[in-house]
Amino acid sequence: MSILIDNITIIPVTGPNSLIEKGYILIDGNLIKDIGKGKAPEGAYDKVIDGTNKVALPGFVNTHTHAAMTLLRGYADDMPLMEWLETKIWPLEAKLTAEDIYWGSMLAIVEMIKSGTTAFADMYFFMDEVARAVSESGIRGILSRGMIGVGPENERALDESAVLYTRWHNQADGRIKCMLGPHAPYTCPPEYLKRVINLAGELGIGIHIHLAETRGEFEDIQKQYGKTPVQLMQDTGLFTQPTLAAHCVHLTSEDIDILAANNVGVAHNPESNMKLASGIAPVPEMLQKGIPVALGTDGASSNNNLDMLQEMRTCALLHKVNTMNPTVLPAYQALEMATINGAKALGLDNELGQLKAGLKADMIIMNLDQPHMIPRYDILANIVYSGQASDVDTVIIDGKIIMENRGIKVFNEEEVLEQAEKTARRLIM
Amino acid sequence: MSILIDNITIIPVTGPNSLIEKGYILIDGNLIKDIGKGKAPEGAYDKVIDGTNKVALPGFVNTHTHAAMTLLRGYADDMPLMEWLETKIWPLEAKLTAEDIYWGSMLAIVEMIKSGTTAFADMYFFMDEVARAVSESGIRGILSRGMIGVGPENERALDESAVLYTRWHNQADGRIKCMLGPHAPYTCPPEYLKRVINLAGELGIGIHIHLAETRGEFEDIQKQYGKTPVQLMQDTGLFTQPTLAAHCVHLTSEDIDILAANNVGVAHNPESNMKLASGIAPVPEMLQKGIPVALGTDGASSNNNLDMLQEMRTCALLHKVNTMNPTVLPAYQALEMATINGAKALGLDNELGQLKAGLKADMIIMNLDQPHMIPRYDILANIVYSGQASDVDTVIIDGKIIMENRGIKVFNEEEVLEQAEKTARRLIM
């Protein structure tokens, strides 16, 4: 299928001044064929989208979430972390069936599509169901089976991860990729992690892990190993594999150097870190050292939404006040974090994260005809500092129109909301 | 006119557990006549609104903004404060005509209505035009002419404030109230402030001022007067009049006691304070001391939107991470700040800020049928932590339906967007 998007403002995220004021985008199959200024080349296109008063940009890459935790949204808030986990989150999670994970993931995917996310990195369980949801919905998913290295399930987690890879890696027209998902340094001892690292090497895939999220983790690992969590991971050999490290809140300056030297991708989750009072990650320092710091929403139980526009905005505001410097993390850098840095952190920047010929046709079209988007002195600043999920009008993933005029075209959205609500009612019965 | 809202979830903000699951609201004229659980009393109503899958709550009270600064949205971002003001904001403001202020205020009002704000406290200039916009649009406005006590305009500012009061106070069916608006301690010396305080006493109205916004202000006032900004204001007699103090970021613990003892209302503007890197106000301490801390968006040039749902959410998240305590500022308290505390800070809590019989019929209806609002374990948490402006379906102010199904019914929204955009283009010519 070929699609022409005409008369459109384009923010390709290929540089701070790369905005094209009146341009066109040609999509052929699942790839971007051409992007340019001015009039589109004559041709016969299967579909023409008029971009007047609209802006196209790369779809957002949510680099850290637990999609099916949408089922826990609003179930428990404003509580101390361990009490929240032990009395609320874990008991409810223990009730989740494979079917629940499917509907919870579908609910997350509806929400992500409707707020402009075109790819997400997920870590959870019953991952077959997440893969099925990704496959059916048209979104792009980078999936890892969460692995706890202590306790009775550690063997099964390794086996299931290998099966997930065999069954789903590069499936759904390549929209699904797999990673290994050891949960965290404090739940996966070095011996277990070494087995994970070996498996990743055998399969040739990356590793997605929670790292240095809380002060408690930092202190406990220090006490147990005499090292920081990042040092421990380096010494365990984790970074010999491509690594996506979520959170990275509590770091020494030496830790930052280690992450940079090993080209570790970081998924920064500002809103989850704020809500759980985990702390503020040293993002400006990491970016300055060249670390591809990307954005993630984390699960809906600690956010409580999966809205990357809000995440981007909160990120830009938070680091300004945290450094007491209003020039830190300007709008364009926040947008990079939500797009191209996400692709880099996932090792997919040869396919995603920018709008340019040859890359996958993953993009969103936002409607500028909104009171909060006027005037149009700086459309990029408007998007980052004032944009809303509901401004996202059209979503194209892998060359396919997944949403148009805010209506999802690939599956029945209403059924998802109903099934998710029904599941939630059963969970708290 | 009488309106019945039926089959609706109600969050009256009269207590943490005041939610009514299936209830009704009766509006008669401009007042709430009755609120209850279950079936509404039989009767003939001019209008019946079906509230199925919806929630009603008090309209948001934006206690600090400069509405017409929407015209400067996105004009200059990510800059050091003084460079931003001196090279960008002030030169553009100098070009603004009365007509511009009208369209800029109307643009702000469209945005505020569409994100659930039913009352706003404004401080700017050409306030006749702001009053005209408030009068025509149906919103509630608490208006003050910004006064700079140094320089040639200080006399005129006092005169214009008195004229504004005479012309507009209690006009538009009482939707307009006036306050005096001395800009800040560093722009209004004590001698000038004393004249302002006297005038406020004569007119029987309150005072809206910027206070302790930046570290620079705190240090400069200390140096010049040997006192904190709050102490200086107390010694000048400011708090003998009802006072709304915007920002209050840089406070000593003695300052907090002074604000509490004098029942000063505080307008907390977390997003503006973050974006301009002003600092983080000690909100939990102020709330604990009983200060009515409310929320404001500040102007769109430092936010960049006027979305009180975002402000509420950011407030709740920011203070959790700032105190490293996830139980600080729970959802209900954030909602109070956006509603009843706003009314208290403005001295209008006998009229606004809650849903109960006898108060003004200022309320919003939000649509719960959204992916990010499912499941419905806790509708209040969903609104605060996951709600979006676009969930606001209906807005009623002073008993009049101003917006229904997201369409504004009182004036032509498209004309406002066009005129505002046209104005902006002229300003940068």
Side-chain angles (χ1 to χ4, degrees):
Chain A
M1 181 162 163
S2 65
I3 302 172
L4 166 65
I5 310 170
D6 217 355
N7 297 314
I8 194 155
T9 301
I10 304 166
I11 299 180
V13 196
T14 50
N17 299 309
S18 54
L19 183 142
I20 297 170
E21 224 167 83
K22 231 179 186 174
Y24 64 89
I25 302 172
L26 285 185
I27 297 169
D28 192 28
N30 70 341
L31 299 180
I32 299 170
K33 195 181 175 190
D34 188 14
I35 287 192
K37 211 176 152 65
K39 250 186 98 59
E42 299 275 324
Y45 306 104
D46 298 323
K47 166 98 183 171
V48 177
I49 296 174
D50 176 23
T52 307
N53 286 330
K54 294 185 176 151
V55 57
L57 55 157
F60 301 123
V61 181
N62 184 347
T63 53
H64 182 67
T65 190
H66 315 284
M69 289 187 89
T70 49
L71 294 175
L72 285 74
R73 183 189 344 255
Y75 175 61
D77 298 285
D78 308 318
M79 291 175 69
L81 183 70
M82 286 320 292
E83 186 188 337
W84 175 71
L85 285 172
E86 288 172 3
T87 71
K88 293 286 183 174
I89 299 302
W90 291 339
L92 207 72
E93 278 186 335
K95 291 187 188 179
L96 294 172
T97 67
E99 189 72 1
D100 296 344
I101 298 296
Y102 172 78
W103 290 115
S105 300
M106 283 301 283
L107 178 61
I109 289 169
V110 172
E111 191 191 341
M112 287 193 278
I113 290 170
K114 297 199 103 169
S115 50
T117 291
T118 55
F120 70 104
D122 202 58
M123 185 198 294
Y124 216 49
F125 50 95
F126 291 127
M127 293 305 291
D128 263 343
E129 299 297 321
V130 186
R132 181 159 73 96
V134 169
S135 174
E136 290 174 13
S137 65
I139 202 168
R140 209 175 282 284
I142 297 87
L143 310 182
S144 36
R145 203 278 190 212
M147 305 155 96
I148 305 286
V150 291
E153 295 214 355
N154 61 1
E155 285 301 324
R156 208 178 75 187
L158 279 164
D159 295 346
E160 282 186 20
S161 294
V163 170
L164 182 74
Y165 170 86
T166 309
R167 205 175 279 166
W168 288 104
H169 189 65
N170 282 328
Q171 294 303 302
D173 305 318
R175 284 186 290 107
I176 297 178
K177 308 277 179 201
C178 294
M179 296 177 83
L180 296 184
H183 174 262
Y186 61 96
T187 51
C188 295
E191 285 321 303
Y192 186 75
L193 273 176
K194 282 177 184 160
R195 296 177 62 194
V196 175
I197 295 161
N198 286 338
L199 181 59
E202 278 168 33
L203 303 177
I205 58 177
I207 293 174
H208 182 178
I209 191 168
H210 297 88
L211 185 56
E213 180 174 2
T214 64
R215 199 186 278 165
E217 173 188 345
F218 186 89
E219 287 166 359
D220 289 351
I221 295 284
Q222 278 273 13
K223 205 176 294 174
Q224 195 176 349
Y225 298 97
K227 304 171 185 180
T228 69
V230 169
Q231 286 173 329
L232 178 66
M233 291 304 97
Q234 187 185 35
D235 293 352
T236 308
L238 184 71
F239 306 140
T240 59
Q241 298 303 318
T243 305
L244 170 66
H247 300 297
C248 294
V249 173
H250 298 275
L251 304 176
T252 63
S253 111
E254 198 199 348
D255 288 342
I256 295 176
D257 290 336
I258 292 173
L259 296 174
N262 289 283
N263 199 30
V264 173
V266 170
H268 174 46
N269 302 263
E271 297 195 339
S272 172
N273 297 158
M274 292 168 84
K275 184 151 184 279
L276 300 178
S278 305
I280 301 174
V283 169
E285 293 89 325
M286 287 195 274
L287 286 169
Q288 211 174 4
K289 288 267 167 77
I291 296 170
V293 185
L295 286 172
T297 59
D298 209 347
S301 56
S302 63
N303 188 306
N304 292 352
N305 61 38
L306 308 178
D307 181 340
M308 286 287 285
L309 277 157
Q310 283 193 1
E311 212 67 35
M312 188 161 64
R313 182 168 193 270
T314 300
C315 172
L317 298 185
L318 178 64
H319 296 290
K320 291 186 209 310
V321 78
N322 192 42
T323 57
M324 291 296 272
N325 179 354
T327 69
V328 152
L329 245 161
Y332 180 72
Q333 199 168 27
L335 182 59
E336 278 187 323
M337 289 176 70
T339 56
I340 178 63
N341 285 16
K344 282 182 186 167
L346 293 165
L348 296 172
D349 48 318
N350 58 343
E351 297 183 34
L352 314 175
Q354 295 175 317
L355 298 184
K356 59 185 189 191
L359 294 197
K360 295 280 164 65
D362 286 17
M363 68 192 74
I364 63 176
I365 301 176
M366 294 178 73
N367 183 352
L368 297 170
D369 253 346
Q370 312 279 357
H372 55 277
M373 298 292 251
I374 286 174
R376 293 184 197 157
Y377 301 127
D378 185 341
I379 289 172
L380 196 153
N382 282 0
I383 291 169
V384 172
Y385 291 125
S386 193
Q388 297 176 6
S390 55
D391 303 336
V392 178
D393 179 272
T394 297
V395 173
I396 298 172
I397 305 173
D398 213 39
K400 194 169 173 184
I401 298 174
I402 305 297
M403 182 173 85
E404 193 170 17
N405 298 325
R406 293 202 64 68
I408 290 180
K409 300 181 72 171
V410 179
F411 58 90
N412 184 338
E413 176 186 346
E414 269 179 40
E415 187 195 4
V416 173
L417 304 199
E418 272 166 30
Q419 291 289 346
E421 183 62 40
K422 210 172 99 179
T423 304
R425 278 197 302 269
R426 196 204 78 232
L427 287 174
I428 56 166
M429 261 197 330
Chain B
M1 183 165 163
S2 65
I3 303 173
L4 166 65
I5 309 171
D6 217 356
N7 298 312
I8 193 153
T9 302
I10 303 166
I11 300 180
V13 196
T14 50
N17 299 310
S18 55
L19 183 143
I20 297 170
E21 225 167 82
K22 230 178 186 173
Y24 63 89
I25 302 172
L26 284 187
I27 296 168
D28 192 26
N30 70 339
L31 298 180
I32 299 171
K33 193 181 175 190
D34 188 15
I35 288 192
K37 212 175 149 67
K39 251 188 97 59
E42 299 275 326
Y45 307 103
D46 298 323
K47 166 98 183 172
V48 176
I49 296 174
D50 177 22
T52 306
N53 287 329
K54 295 186 175 152
V55 57
L57 55 155
F60 301 123
V61 181
N62 184 348
T63 52
H64 181 66
T65 190
H66 314 284
M69 289 187 90
T70 49
L71 294 175
L72 284 73
R73 185 192 336 262
Y75 176 62
D77 298 286
D78 307 318
M79 291 173 71
L81 182 70
M82 286 320 291
E83 186 187 336
W84 175 72
L85 286 171
E86 288 173 3
T87 71
K88 294 286 184 174
I89 300 303
W90 292 340
L92 208 71
E93 279 186 333
K95 290 189 188 177
L96 293 173
T97 66
E99 188 72 3
D100 296 345
I101 297 297
Y102 173 77
W103 289 115
S105 300
M106 284 300 285
L107 178 62
I109 289 169
V110 172
E111 192 191 341
M112 287 193 278
I113 291 170
K114 297 198 104 171
S115 51
T117 291
T118 55
F120 70 105
D122 202 58
M123 185 199 294
Y124 216 49
F125 51 94
F126 291 126
M127 293 305 292
D128 263 341
E129 299 298 320
V130 186
R132 181 158 74 97
V134 169
S135 174
E136 289 174 13
S137 65
I139 202 168
R140 209 175 281 284
I142 297 87
L143 310 183
S144 36
R145 203 277 190 210
M147 303 154 98
I148 306 285
V150 292
E153 295 214 355
N154 61 1
E155 285 301 324
R156 208 176 78 188
L158 280 164
D159 294 346
E160 282 187 18
S161 294
V163 170
L164 183 74
Y165 170 85
T166 309
R167 207 176 277 166
W168 289 105
H169 189 64
N170 281 328
Q171 293 303 301
D173 304 318
R175 285 186 289 105
I176 297 178
K177 307 274 179 203
C178 294
M179 295 177 83
L180 295 186
H183 174 262
Y186 60 94
T187 50
C188 295
E191 286 320 304
Y192 186 76
L193 274 176
K194 282 178 184 160
R195 296 179 61 193
V196 174
I197 295 161
N198 286 340
L199 181 60
E202 279 168 34
L203 302 177
I205 59 178
I207 293 174
H208 182 178
I209 190 169
H210 297 87
L211 184 57
E213 179 174 2
T214 65
R215 199 185 279 163
E217 172 187 345
F218 186 89
E219 288 166 359
D220 289 350
I221 294 285
Q222 278 273 12
K223 204 177 294 172
Q224 195 176 348
Y225 299 96
K227 304 171 184 182
T228 68
V230 169
Q231 285 172 329
L232 177 65
M233 289 305 96
Q234 187 185 35
D235 293 351
T236 307
L238 185 71
F239 305 140
T240 59
Q241 299 303 318
T243 305
L244 170 67
H247 301 299
C248 294
V249 173
H250 298 277
L251 304 176
T252 63
S253 109
E254 198 201 348
D255 288 342
I256 295 176
D257 291 335
I258 292 173
L259 295 174
N262 289 282
N263 199 29
V264 174
V266 170
H268 173 47
N269 302 264
E271 298 195 338
S272 171
N273 296 159
M274 292 169 84
K275 184 150 184 277
L276 300 178
S278 304
I280 300 174
V283 169
E285 293 90 325
M286 286 195 275
L287 286 168
Q288 213 174 1
K289 288 267 168 77
I291 296 171
V293 185
L295 286 172
T297 58
D298 209 349
S301 55
S302 64
N303 188 308
N304 295 355
N305 61 37
L306 307 179
D307 182 339
M308 286 287 287
L309 278 156
Q310 284 194 2
E311 212 67 36
M312 188 162 64
R313 182 167 193 271
T314 300
C315 172
L317 298 185
L318 178 64
H319 296 289
K320 291 184 208 315
V321 78
N322 192 44
T323 57
M324 291 297 271
N325 180 353
T327 70
V328 151
L329 243 161
Y332 180 73
Q333 199 168 27
L335 183 58
E336 279 188 323
M337 289 177 70
T339 55
I340 177 62
N341 285 15
K344 282 182 187 166
L346 293 165
L348 296 171
D349 48 318
N350 58 341
E351 298 184 33
L352 314 175
Q354 296 176 316
L355 297 185
K356 60 185 187 191
L359 295 198
K360 294 281 163 68
D362 285 17
M363 67 191 75
I364 64 175
I365 301 176
M366 294 178 74
N367 183 353
L368 298 170
D369 252 346
Q370 311 279 357
H372 57 275
M373 298 291 253
I374 286 174
R376 293 185 198 158
Y377 301 127
D378 185 342
I379 289 172
L380 196 152
N382 283 0
I383 291 170
V384 173
Y385 291 125
S386 193
Q388 297 176 7
S390 55
D391 303 337
V392 179
D393 180 89
T394 297
V395 174
I396 297 172
I397 305 172
D398 212 40
K400 194 169 174 184
I401 300 175
I402 305 296
M403 181 173 87
E404 193 169 18
N405 300 322
R406 293 202 64 67
I408 289 180
K409 299 182 71 174
V410 178
F411 59 90
N412 184 337
E413 177 186 345
E414 269 180 40
E415 187 195 3
V416 172
L417 305 199
E418 273 167 32
Q419 290 290 346
E421 183 63 41
K422 211 172 99 180
T423 303
R425 278 198 303 271
R426 196 205 76 230
L427 287 173
I428 56 166
M429 259 198 329

